[in-house]
């Protein structure tokens, strides 16, 4: 059982044939089946747009990104964290989970920095990361800070060196696993052997349908219209309700007592280059300002700092000194 209240982040590693995708499908399926969309928002990154495509229609799924939008999806999650960091006290809104199927696809230095920010401070603001890779090398795994990973699931890998890199410790014997769903769960000093269920496409579809049926899928209302339309970012408004506590089941997330929906007020491509704001960015900037963000804060988020040109562009967007 995984409880994201008790652990920060999760890493799953396994070569082709290890059963990694099956394990992750079961993880996502049980998580969404046991947790209301009021309490859980998903950002799913599936570079192949294949293994986890069925989860796109879940009412929990706020972003589904393919290979070309890995960087933008990470930026989207980082923007949510930045917004929550500006909230005083303990954040008590819906949990956000960034699910990233293939860590090797994260290449941009800025995306790696943003991912490390999420890994470092996300837990306290109810932002969790589930990472997966079939390439347990130092070049892939070593580019992110895994010190806050609470659980590692390590399946079949090719060599003892790969096993040690994946597990973060030696002598686990992960390279001797037979594959086909055989995993080691590594949590602190504990190493537990487990067998993941086999979950084919039909089984995945059935699991997704159960979650859709349980929570109800409402009409999608986009949070933003992106300049590039490759990211699908539906937002499913669900009637707010007081939850009576946690639910049980594999992969459960304990529900908070009173859940409120918190809209994202930033655009996934920020910080942007030295240029005026697009129409989409103007709308987002005005929404940030209406929600109480200062002009200096907006400049830091949108451009990464203040210059006279940037100040003028933001002022125009806010109808202060010119037309947007």
């Amino acid at each position: 059982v995984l409880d994201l209240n008790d652990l920060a982040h999760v890493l799953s590693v396994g070569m082709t044939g290890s059963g990694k995708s099956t394990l992750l499908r079961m993880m996502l399926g049980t998580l969404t089946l046991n947790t209301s969309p009021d309490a859980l928002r998903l950002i799913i990154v599936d570079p192949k747009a294949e293994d986890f495509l069925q989860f796109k229609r879940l009412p929990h799924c706020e972003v589904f990104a393919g290979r070309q939008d890995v960087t933008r999806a990470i930026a989207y999650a980082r923007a949510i964290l930045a917004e929550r960091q500006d909230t005083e006290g303990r954040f008590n809104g819906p949990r956000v989970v960034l699910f990233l199927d293939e860590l090797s696809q994260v290449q941009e230095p800025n995306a790696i920095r943003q991912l490390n920010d999420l890994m470092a401070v996300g837990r306290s603001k109810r932002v969790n990361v589930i990472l997966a890779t079939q390439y347990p090398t130092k070049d892939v795994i070593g580019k992110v800070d895994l010190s806050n990973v609470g659980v590692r699931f390590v399946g079949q890998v090719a060599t003892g060196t790969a096993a040690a890199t994946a597990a973060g410790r030696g002598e686990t014997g992960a390279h001797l696993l037979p594959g086909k769903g055989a995993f080691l769960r590594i949590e602190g000093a504990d190493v537990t052997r487990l067998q993941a269920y086999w979950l084919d496409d039909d089984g995945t579809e059935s699991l997704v349908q159960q979650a859709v049926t349980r929570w109800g899928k409402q009409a999608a209302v986009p949070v933003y219209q992106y300049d590039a339309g490759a990211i699908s970012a539906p937002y499913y408004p669900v009637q707010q309700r007081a939850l009576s506590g946690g639910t049980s089941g594999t992969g459960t997330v304990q529900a908070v007592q009173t859940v409120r929906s918190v809209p994202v007020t930033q655009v996934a491509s920020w910080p942007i280059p030295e240029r005026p704001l697009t129409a989409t960015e103007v709308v987002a900037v005005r929404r940030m300002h209406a929600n109480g963000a200062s002009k200096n804060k907006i400049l830091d988020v949108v451009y990464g700092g203040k210059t006279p040109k940037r100040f003028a562009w933001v002022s125009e967007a806010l109808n202060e000194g010119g037309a947007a």
Side-chain angles (χ1 to χ4, degrees):
V1 176
L2 289 178
D3 187 339
L4 296 181
N5 284 316
D6 294 335
L7 59 91
H9 311 295
V10 178
L11 173 68
S12 178
V13 180
M15 61 193 295
T16 300
S18 65
K20 174 174 63 67
S21 294
T22 290
L23 178 69
L24 292 169
R25 283 177 169 185
M26 185 64 72
M27 194 182 300
L28 272 180
T30 54
L31 186 65
T32 54
L33 187 60
N34 286 301
T35 313
S36 164
D38 281 354
L40 175 67
R41 313 305 304 163
L42 290 177
I43 300 169
I44 300 176
V45 182
D46 179 7
K48 294 190 293 184
E50 179 180 309
D51 291 337
F52 303 95
L53 187 60
Q54 290 151 305
F55 293 94
K56 181 178 179 178
R57 66 188 187 89
L58 283 168
H60 310 73
C61 184
E62 191 160 311
V63 171
F64 186 94
R67 180 180 59 82
Q68 295 181 340
D69 291 296
V70 172
T71 297
R72 286 169 61 85
I74 293 172
Y76 188 93
R78 182 63 184 89
I80 293 174
L81 178 60
E83 181 180 79
R84 293 183 174 190
Q85 286 177 303
D86 290 337
T87 303
E88 294 183 357
R90 183 174 296 277
F91 185 81
N92 198 33
R95 185 178 303 281
V96 171
V97 174
L98 171 64
F99 176 86
L100 179 58
D101 179 37
E102 186 44 69
L103 181 57
S104 66
Q105 294 295 314
V106 183
Q107 301 290 342
E108 295 286 341
N110 192 46
I112 294 171
R113 286 193 296 270
Q114 291 175 333
L115 187 56
N116 276 319
D117 287 346
L118 291 165
M119 302 286 284
V121 298
R123 179 188 179 189
S124 66
K125 297 300 182 181
R126 297 176 63 80
V127 178
N128 301 86
V129 179
I130 298 176
L131 292 174
T133 184
Q134 57 179 316
Y135 305 105
T137 66
K138 290 184 178 179
D139 288 342
V140 173
I141 291 182
K143 62 188 174 186
V144 294
D145 182 4
L146 299 178
S147 58
N148 287 311
V149 168
V151 176
R152 299 188 188 210
F153 292 99
V154 181
Q156 184 183 42
V157 293
T159 66
T161 300
T165 302
R169 55 183 290 182
E171 306 301 324
T172 62
H175 58 297
L176 303 176
L177 290 171
K180 298 182 179 179
F183 279 85
L184 299 178
R185 174 175 174 153
I186 301 170
E187 189 170 5
D190 297 329
V191 179
T192 305
R193 170 75 156 78
L194 61 89
Q195 181 65 42
Y197 290 105
W198 166 244
L199 193 64
D200 59 11
D201 289 343
D202 289 342
T204 302
E205 178 61 29
S206 176
L207 198 60
V208 169
Q209 184 57 46
Q210 288 181 57
V212 169
T213 300
R214 178 173 186 182
W215 303 117
K217 183 174 180 180
Q218 302 183 28
V221 179
V223 178
Y224 288 113
Q225 298 294 328
Y226 292 94
D227 293 332
I231 282 187
S232 170
Y235 177 73
Y236 300 99
V238 182
Q239 183 179 1
Q240 296 180 19
R241 61 177 66 89
L243 303 178
S244 59
T247 54
S248 62
T250 304
T252 188
V253 173
Q254 299 298 314
V256 296
Q257 184 63 25
T258 303
V259 179
R260 59 187 178 89
S261 296
V262 179
V264 180
T265 59
Q266 285 143 319
V267 175
S269 57
W270 290 349
I272 63 175
E274 194 77 356
R275 60 164 173 75
L277 301 176
T278 66
T280 300
E281 291 159 350
V282 166
V283 172
V285 162
R286 289 176 178 171
R287 186 178 298 182
M288 286 184 68
H289 191 60
N291 287 338
S294 68
K295 194 176 296 185
N296 285 334
K297 173 61 178 177
I298 292 171
L299 285 163
D300 285 340
V301 172
V302 176
Y303 287 108
K306 180 179 178 180
T307 68
K309 278 187 176 181
R310 296 169 180 175
F311 186 87
W313 290 330
V314 170
S315 294
E316 289 178 357
L318 298 175
N319 289 327
E320 298 175 1

